[in-house]
Amino acid sequence: MFENLTYLQLQQYWWIIISLLGGLFAFMMFIQGGQTLLGKISQGDETLKTMLINSLGRKWELGFTTLVLFGGALFAAFPLFYSTSFGGAYWVWMGILFCFILQAVSYEFRTKPNNFFGQKTYEIFLYINGSLGVFLLGVAIATFFSGSEFYIDERNFSYWQNSLRGLEALSNPFNVLLGISLLFLVRISAAMYFINNIDNILIKKRSINSIKIDMIVFLVFFLNFLYMLFTRSGFSYDKNAHIFIEKYKYLNNFIDMPFVGLLFILGIILVIISVFNTVEKQKSCCIKTGGVGIVLTVMALFLNVGFNGTSYYPSLYNLQSSLTIENSSGSEYTLVVMSYVSLMVPFVIAYIAYAWFQMDKVKITKEEIMSKDAHNY
Amino acid sequence: MEESLVDWSRAQFALTAIYHFLFVPLTLGLSFIIAIMETIYVKTGQEKYKKMTKFWMTLFAINFAIGVATGIIMEFEFGTNWANYSWFVGDIFGAPLAIEGILAFFMESTFFAVMFFGWDKVSKGFHLLSTWLVAIGSNLSAFWILVANGWMQYPVGMKFNIDTVRNEMVNFWDVALSPVAISKFLHTVGSGYVIGALFVVGISAWYLLKKREVAFAKSSMLVGATFGLIVSIFLALSGDESAHQVALKQPVKLAAMEGLYEGKEAASIVAIGVLNSKKTIDNNEKTFHFELEIPYALSLLSYHNSNAFVPGLKDLVYGNEKYNIESAKEKILKGKIALEAFKQYKKYIKEGNTKKANDAKFVLESYINYFGYGYLTEPKDIIPPISLTFYSFHLMVTLGGWFILLFAVVLFLLLKKDITKQRFWLYASMYSIPLGYIAAEAGWIVAEVGRQPWAIQDLMPVGIAATNIATANVQITFWLFAILFTALLIAELKIMAKQIKIGPNGGH
C-alpha cells in the first residue's frame, strides 16, 4: 500500500503525522497548564489541591509519552532535524528536559511519607515544568518559522554558529510571543479540563475566573504572534531545492493551501466557542471542543511551515543549509516501514479513549480523595 | 573532535544510562510479579492477594516514575550529545524508538493509570488485563530499545548511501530480529526479572527477620522465589547465547571479557582471576597474577565446540594468517581508502564529473565495511578497557550463579522447613537486593564498554559521533544531571524505605 506512494508523498504523510503529534502534544499540555493553576484554584485548601493534582496526575504520563513519541517520530522520519536542532539548540532542549524530569517524579513523590524534599518542593517542580517547560517548548517551536544559526556540511553533520547554543532564541520577540501564547493556551485548556473532570463547585467557579483572565492575555500575545507571522518573510525552496526568501510566505501558504487555512480558522473558532460556552453557559464538557480546536490550530501551523515549498527549519547562517521535509527525511524504505507502523495509531487512540472513558465515568470528588484506601498523588 | 568533549559526552551518557538502568530492571521484573499476584487474587478471590498486589504496586509506582524520567533524557541525548551519530544512524535507529513510543510506551502509560486508580472503577477482569498490559508494555518497550542497541553492536539490514552520508535501512526484519538484538533483549529483561524477584524476596526476608507481616511475607516470598528461580535459570541460558553472539560478532569484546591476549584452541575460561595491570599487548608480562581455569569452557561457550579456536587480542590487532584473521592495521588502511574515496566522490560530484564520481563510489562501496576504521589512528585503538570489561563480566557471571542458588535454597526452605528460623538465608536474601543491581550494571558495562571504541560496530567510532559543541556545555550538564539524578535517587530510596517500614497494613 505505502510502497505505491512516491517518496515526496511519504515525506508529506510523515509531516502530517508530525503535525498531528504536535497538535496532540499541545493539547496534552493541559496537564502542564494545570500545574501552574494549582495555587490559584486551590487557594491554600489542601484537599482541593490534592483533587487538582490527582486529576492531572492520572493523565501526566500520556503527555509525557506524547513528547517521547514526538521525539521518536522526528528522529525516525526527519533525522537531520533531530541531529541539527537537538544538538544545536542544546540549552533550550536541555532546559525542556530538566523541566520534564521534575514533572515525572513530582506526582508520585509529593505526598509520600519521608519524601526528602518536602511537599512544597514537588509543587514548585510542577510549577516549573508547567510554566518554564511550556514556554521553552513554544520558543523552540517558533524557531521553525524564525530560523536558527546553523550550518550543515557535506557529510550532513551540523555546526551551530551561536555560542549561546539555542538560548539566543529567547532574544527574538517572535519566539517569545509564541512561548507565552502557548503557556496561556494550556492554562485555559487546563481550567476547562478541571471543570470537566472534578465535581466541585469551588473549583469550577475559580477555573472559570481563571479562564477569563488567561483568555485575554492569550489573545494579546497570540494575535501579536499572528500579526508578526503573517507579515514576515519566510523561507521557500524551488524545484532545484534552492532556498530563497519570500515575502508574506506564511500568509501565502494559508492562501495557497486553503484547506490548511480553514483548519487553522476552524481550530481557533472551536477554542473560542469552548471558552464562550464554559464562561457564559457554564458548560463542563468544553475541554473536548477546545481540545479539538487546539489540535487543529497547532496542526495547521505545522502544516503551514512544512508544506508548499517551505523550509520548516531555516538556517539564518547559511540559507542553503535550511531543512525541508525533502532534504531532512528518512529514506524511502524507512518511511514505508514507519508508515505501516503508523496504522497502529488509531488502535492506540481507541484504547486510550476507552481506558479514559472507563476511568472518567465518575468524576473526582472530595470523598474519593479523602478515602483511606485511595491511591493518591 | 576534541578528546575531552568525546570523553565528557561518553561520561554523560554513561551516567544517564547507569541511573536509568537502576530503575528500569525493577520495573520490568516487578510488573510481572504484580501481575502474577493479581492473577492469583482474581482466580482465588482471596483478599490477602489483593493486599499483596497493592503493596508491591505502590513500590512499583515509586520506582516507575523515576525510570520514565531518566528514560526521556536518554532518548533526547542521542540528539543533544550525539548529533553526528543521530544523523548517521537515524534512518535505522530512530525507527525502533518511534515504534517503542507507538506500540509500547502508550500501552504502558495508559494502563498504568487504570492499574492504580481503577480498582473500584473498572471490572476485576479489565483491571487484571490492565496490570498485564503494563507488564507487557514495559517489556515491549525494552524490546524496541534493545533492538536499537543490538543494531549498534551488530549493524545489519542497511546500506550506506554515499549521497546522504548515512546508513539506510533496507530490511526492517533483519534489524528487528537480529540474533544479537534478540539475545540482548532476552538477557536484559531476564536480569530485570531477577532483580524484581530479589526485591520481593529480600524485602519479605526483612519482614520475617523483624517478625512482622509473617503470613504476607511468606506468601510474597513464595511468589518471588518461584519466579526468581525460573528466571535466573533462564538468565543463565540467555547469557550463554549472548556470549555466543559476542564471540561471533564482536570477538574483540570477548577477548577483553576473558583477558585473552593470545588466541587458543580448546581455550579455557577463567573462573576466577586477578589481572596483571602491567600486561599490555606488546609485552611479555604474564596476564594474570592468579587464575583458576575451567578447561575447554571458553571454546565451548563461544563457538559451541570445545576445540574451537578463540582469537586473542594479539590475533585481532596484528592479524593471524593461519585462522584468516585480518589485522587492525589492514582494516585501518582499507578504512582510509574508503574515506578518501568518499572525499573524492564529493569533489567530483561538485565538479560535475560523473564518471570519476562513480569510480570513487565503487571504491567506497568495496571498502564500506571498514569505513569506521578510517577514523582510527593506530591498530591498538580497537582494544576496549580490558580490566573494566574483564572484572565486570566475571562479577556478573558469579552473581548470576549465586542468584540461582539463593532462589533454590529459599524455595526449599519455604516449602520444606521453617524459613523464619533460617536467619543466615534471610540476611542473604536481604543483602542480595543490591547485588542484583550490581550484576545488571556490570552487564551493561560489559556490553557498552566492551564495544569501545565503537559507537556503531566497525562503522562509527565514538570520536566522531559526538555533537560539535564546546566541552564546557557538556561538563555543566553532566554535573547538573549528576546532582539531579543523585538527589532523586536519594528521594526514591527514602520513600521506598519508609513505605516498606509502613508495610502492607499501613503500619497497623
Side-chain angles (χ1 to χ4, degrees):
Chain A
M1 179 170 82
F2 288 105
E3 292 87 345
N4 298 327
L5 297 180
T6 65
Y7 192 19
L8 179 62
Q9 285 169 334
L10 286 165
Q11 287 162 332
Q12 289 171 337
Y13 175 75
W14 270 94
W15 188 256
I16 293 169
I17 288 182
I18 295 288
S19 304
L20 176 64
L21 286 175
L24 287 171
F25 182 51
F27 164 57
M28 290 304 304
M29 277 198 288
F30 72 76
I31 297 158
Q32 270 73 22
Q35 290 165 196
T36 66
L37 292 174
L38 295 175
K40 190 176 177 179
I41 294 181
S42 71
Q43 293 186 3
D45 183 328
E46 282 303 315
T47 310
L48 290 189
K49 193 188 284 174
T50 304
M51 290 169 79
L52 294 169
I53 289 184
N54 273 275
S55 173
L56 296 171
R58 295 174 193 189
K59 306 282 190 301
W60 79 265
E61 275 199 65
L62 287 174
F64 210 90
T65 303
T66 314
L67 175 63
V68 171
L69 181 57
F70 187 62
L74 275 171
F75 196 176
F78 298 98
L80 193 54
F81 168 79
Y82 196 85
S83 63
T84 305
S85 176
F86 288 91
Y90 189 78
W91 282 109
V92 169
W93 290 113
M94 280 294 179
I96 292 167
L97 290 179
F98 271 101
C99 290
F100 274 82
I101 300 174
L102 300 181
Q103 185 203 30
V105 293
S106 295
Y107 285 108
E108 202 57 56
F109 288 9
R110 190 183 78 100
T111 54
K112 290 279 186 304
N114 206 18
N115 68 8
F116 187 50
F117 291 118
Q119 186 170 322
K120 278 277 167 232
T121 309
Y122 292 104
E123 286 165 16
I124 293 168
F125 283 174
L126 288 177
Y127 191 85
I128 292 171
N129 170 260
S131 52
L132 185 62
V134 173
F135 171 72
L136 288 176
L137 270 165
V139 168
I141 289 166
T143 61
F144 279 38
F145 297 93
S146 61
S148 298
E149 298 170 53
F150 60 87
Y151 165 73
I152 296 194
D153 75 3
E154 58 181 9
R155 295 172 296 173
N156 279 323
F157 286 178
S158 57
Y159 300 85
W160 206 254
Q161 299 298 314
N162 191 310
S163 58
L164 290 173
R165 302 297 301 206
L167 291 180
E168 70 277 6
L170 295 169
S171 65
N172 184 337
F174 176 80
N175 300 340
V176 173
L177 280 174
L178 186 62
I180 296 175
S181 303
L182 190 63
L183 176 57
F184 281 89
L185 178 67
V186 299
R187 281 165 62 94
I188 293 166
S189 54
M192 289 196 283
Y193 169 74
F194 285 143
I195 293 168
N196 178 260
N197 195 241
I198 303 172
D199 183 12
N200 185 279
I201 296 285
L202 265 180
I203 287 177
K204 185 173 182 180
K205 196 176 145 200
R206 288 171 187 168
S207 296
I208 290 173
N209 287 337
S210 157
I211 291 174
K212 286 177 188 167
I213 299 164
D214 287 346
M215 188 64 184
I216 293 167
V217 182
F218 167 71
L219 283 175
V220 169
F221 282 92
F222 190 61
L223 290 175
N224 269 297
F225 168 78
L226 285 186
Y227 173 76
M228 288 180 84
L229 179 71
F230 291 149
T231 54
R232 74 185 296 131
S233 297
F235 301 81
S236 295
Y237 65 96
D238 57 24
K239 281 179 184 169
N240 300 318
H242 180 77
I243 316 272
F244 60 95
I245 303 287
E246 183 187 325
K247 275 193 171 181
Y248 304 112
K249 174 66 181 166
Y250 303 108
L251 180 60
N252 289 339
N253 279 357
F254 276 135
I255 296 166
D256 293 344
M257 300 184 289
F259 178 72
V260 177
L262 281 174
L263 219 60
F264 184 68
I265 293 166
L266 180 65
I268 292 175
I269 290 172
L270 286 175
V271 172
I272 291 170
I273 288 174
S274 64
V275 169
F276 178 80
N277 279 337
T278 307
V279 173
E280 291 300 319
K281 298 190 175 174
Q282 310 271 311
K283 286 190 175 175
S284 61
C285 58
C286 301
I287 179 66
K288 292 166 194 160
T289 323
V292 173
I294 290 170
V295 173
L296 295 184
T297 308
V298 175
M299 196 178 166
L301 280 173
F302 271 97
L303 294 175
N304 180 301
V305 77
F307 284 172
N308 200 33
T310 314
S311 159
Y312 73 88
Y313 200 55
S315 167
L316 303 175
Y317 177 79
N318 172 16
L319 208 51
Q320 300 316 315
S321 289
S322 300
L323 305 188
T324 68
I325 61 169
E326 290 181 65
N327 70 14
S328 65
S329 80
S331 68
E332 191 168 354
Y333 178 84
T334 294
L335 293 184
V336 168
V337 170
M338 293 290 298
S339 299
Y340 279 108
V341 176
S342 75
L343 294 177
M344 295 298 292
V345 170
F347 296 99
V348 173
I349 291 174
Y351 74 63
I352 291 173
Y354 179 70
W356 272 33
F357 174 74
Q358 290 294 325
M359 293 290 292
D360 290 356
K361 270 193 296 195
V362 182
K363 291 189 178 190
I364 291 177
T365 59
K366 253 188 187 176
E367 292 69 40
E368 183 197 337
I369 292 297
M370 293 170 83
S371 146
K372 212 178 116 193
D373 205 28
H375 178 100
N376 277 343
Y377 286 133
Chain B
M1 207 170 283
E2 270 181 74
E3 204 173 312
S4 65
L5 167 65
V6 177
D7 287 343
W8 276 100
S9 298
R10 288 172 69 192
Q12 184 170 317
F13 200 82
L15 175 87
T16 314
I18 285 172
Y19 268 99
H20 183 56
F21 213 57
L22 282 177
F23 309 109
V24 171
L26 184 60
T27 297
L28 295 176
L30 207 48
S31 62
F32 271 123
I33 294 174
I34 290 166
I36 292 167
M37 287 172 175
E38 192 178 338
T39 307
I40 298 173
Y41 160 64
V42 173
K43 284 264 176 203
T44 63
Q46 292 181 43
E47 281 299 311
K48 69 172 186 177
Y49 286 106
K50 183 178 180 184
K51 191 194 281 181
M52 193 186 286
T53 308
K54 278 191 159 185
F55 173 73
W56 294 109
M57 217 178 245
T58 305
L59 300 182
F60 171 83
I62 295 162
N63 178 73
F64 184 83
I66 192 164
V68 171
T70 47
I72 195 170
I73 302 299
M74 290 200 70
E75 180 188 1
F76 285 93
E77 266 183 6
F78 290 121
T80 55
N81 291 63
W82 302 97
N84 295 343
Y85 161 89
S86 302
W87 168 251
F88 194 66
V89 306
D91 195 63
I92 303 156
F93 195 88
L97 288 189
I99 296 172
E100 184 222 359
I102 296 172
L103 298 184
F105 209 18
F106 270 111
M107 185 190 285
E108 202 178 335
S109 59
T110 303
F111 294 103
F112 180 89
V114 181
M115 184 168 114
F116 279 93
F117 302 101
W119 281 106
D120 303 315
K121 295 191 171 190
V122 298
S123 68
K124 264 188 185 179
F126 185 54
H127 193 278
L128 178 64
L129 176 71
S130 302
T131 307
W132 275 104
L133 287 177
V134 169
I136 292 166
S138 308
N139 282 269
L140 262 182
S141 192
F143 173 74
W144 288 109
I145 291 297
L146 291 164
V147 161
N149 185 278
W151 185 83
M152 290 158 73
Q153 314 271 349
Y154 176 53
V156 283
M158 87 293 180
K159 190 174 187 305
F160 183 75
N161 181 333
I162 193 167
D163 294 306
T164 55
V165 203
R166 66 176 174 195
N167 287 290
E168 293 181 351
M169 188 157 41
V170 292
N171 190 326
F172 173 73
W173 298 111
D174 280 357
V175 176
L177 302 176
S178 136
V180 174
I182 300 295
S183 74
K184 271 195 86 64
F185 167 68
L186 294 176
H187 197 55
T188 309
V189 295
S191 75
Y193 300 161
V194 168
I195 284 179
L198 287 169
F199 186 78
V200 172
V201 170
I203 290 169
S204 304
W206 181 80
Y207 283 125
L208 294 180
L209 282 165
K210 292 276 170 193
K211 297 187 171 46
R212 280 184 57 188
E213 320 288 353
V214 174
F216 162 86
K218 278 185 173 177
S219 300
S220 292
M221 208 175 216
L222 184 63
V223 175
T226 309
F227 183 71
L229 183 61
I230 295 166
V231 294
S232 56
I233 292 168
F234 166 76
L235 189 65
L237 297 173
S238 68
D240 176 65
E241 177 56 22
S242 253
H244 176 56
Q245 290 300 330
V246 169
L248 297 177
K249 315 297 187 330
Q250 295 170 301
V252 181
K253 185 194 277 186
L254 183 79
M257 282 158 63
E258 273 302 303
L260 187 70
Y261 282 85
E262 311 272 357
K264 287 174 193 164
E265 285 177 350
S268 321
I269 211 163
V270 178
I272 304 169
V274 179
L275 279 171
N276 177 2
S277 59
K278 289 180 187 156
K279 173 70 181 169
T280 70
I281 194 167
D282 293 324
N283 68 25
N284 290 321
E285 293 272 348
K286 59 179 185 176
T287 307
F288 294 96
H289 290 302
F290 157 81
E291 83 261 41
L292 186 66
E293 294 186 337
I294 304 171
Y296 302 102
L298 185 57
S299 290
L300 192 64
L301 180 82
S302 308
Y303 300 104
H304 297 164
N305 170 0
S306 57
N307 289 314
F309 175 78
V310 182
L313 291 166
K314 279 188 181 173
D315 305 288
L316 295 159
V317 171
Y318 297 120
N320 184 327
E321 269 185 47
K322 184 181 169 192
Y323 291 98
N324 207 19
I325 297 171
E326 206 171 7
S327 73
K329 192 177 174 182
E330 287 170 79
K331 289 180 178 177
I332 289 172
L333 279 175
K334 289 179 180 174
K336 297 218 181 285
I337 293 171
L339 277 182
E340 186 53 32
F342 168 71
K343 281 181 198 156
Q344 293 293 319
Y345 175 81
K346 287 288 175 188
K347 187 182 136 211
Y348 291 131
I349 285 287
K350 240 183 207 171
E351 292 169 359
N353 190 337
T354 318
K355 192 194 167 302
K356 283 195 169 179
N358 282 338
D359 290 345
K361 189 178 176 182
F362 178 76
V363 174
L364 174 69
E365 282 173 353
S366 309
Y367 291 95
I368 190 62
N369 290 339
Y370 303 93
F371 191 74
Y373 285 93
Y375 290 102
L376 302 181
T377 46
E378 53 177 316
K380 279 185 280 190
D381 288 350
I382 67 162
I383 303 175
I386 294 169
S387 53
L388 187 56
T389 312
F390 173 85
Y391 287 120
S392 299
F393 176 64
H394 285 79
L395 185 62
M396 176 186 73
V397 173
T398 308
L399 288 174
W402 162 247
F403 299 146
I404 295 175
L405 176 71
L406 178 75
F407 289 127
V409 171
V410 166
L411 204 54
F412 172 77
L413 295 174
L414 266 170
L415 296 174
K416 301 285 179 191
K417 307 258 177 185
D418 181 4
I419 196 164
T420 56
K421 290 179 183 159
Q422 307 289 331
R423 294 180 71 81
F424 170 81
W425 287 103
L426 292 178
Y427 275 113
S429 299
M430 211 171 76
Y431 290 121
S432 288
I433 298 175
L435 295 182
Y437 287 96
I438 291 169
E441 295 290 359
W444 179 81
I445 289 169
V446 173
E448 302 306 308
V449 174
R451 76 174 146 107
Q452 295 303 315
W454 303 110
I456 303 142
Q457 187 73 38
D458 296 346
L459 293 179
M460 186 181 234
V462 286
I464 61 153
T467 300
N468 302 293
I469 191 171
T471 311
N473 292 290
V474 185
Q475 284 172 326
I476 294 169
T477 47
F478 172 87
W479 289 114
L480 285 173
F481 280 131
I483 292 164
L484 184 62
F485 290 160
T486 307
L488 294 179
L489 177 65
I490 294 168
E492 161 160 338
L493 291 175
K494 283 175 115 26
I495 293 171
M496 280 272 197
K498 187 68 186 178
Q499 285 296 133
I500 292 163
K501 265 188 194 165
I502 291 170
N505 292 312
H508 304 297

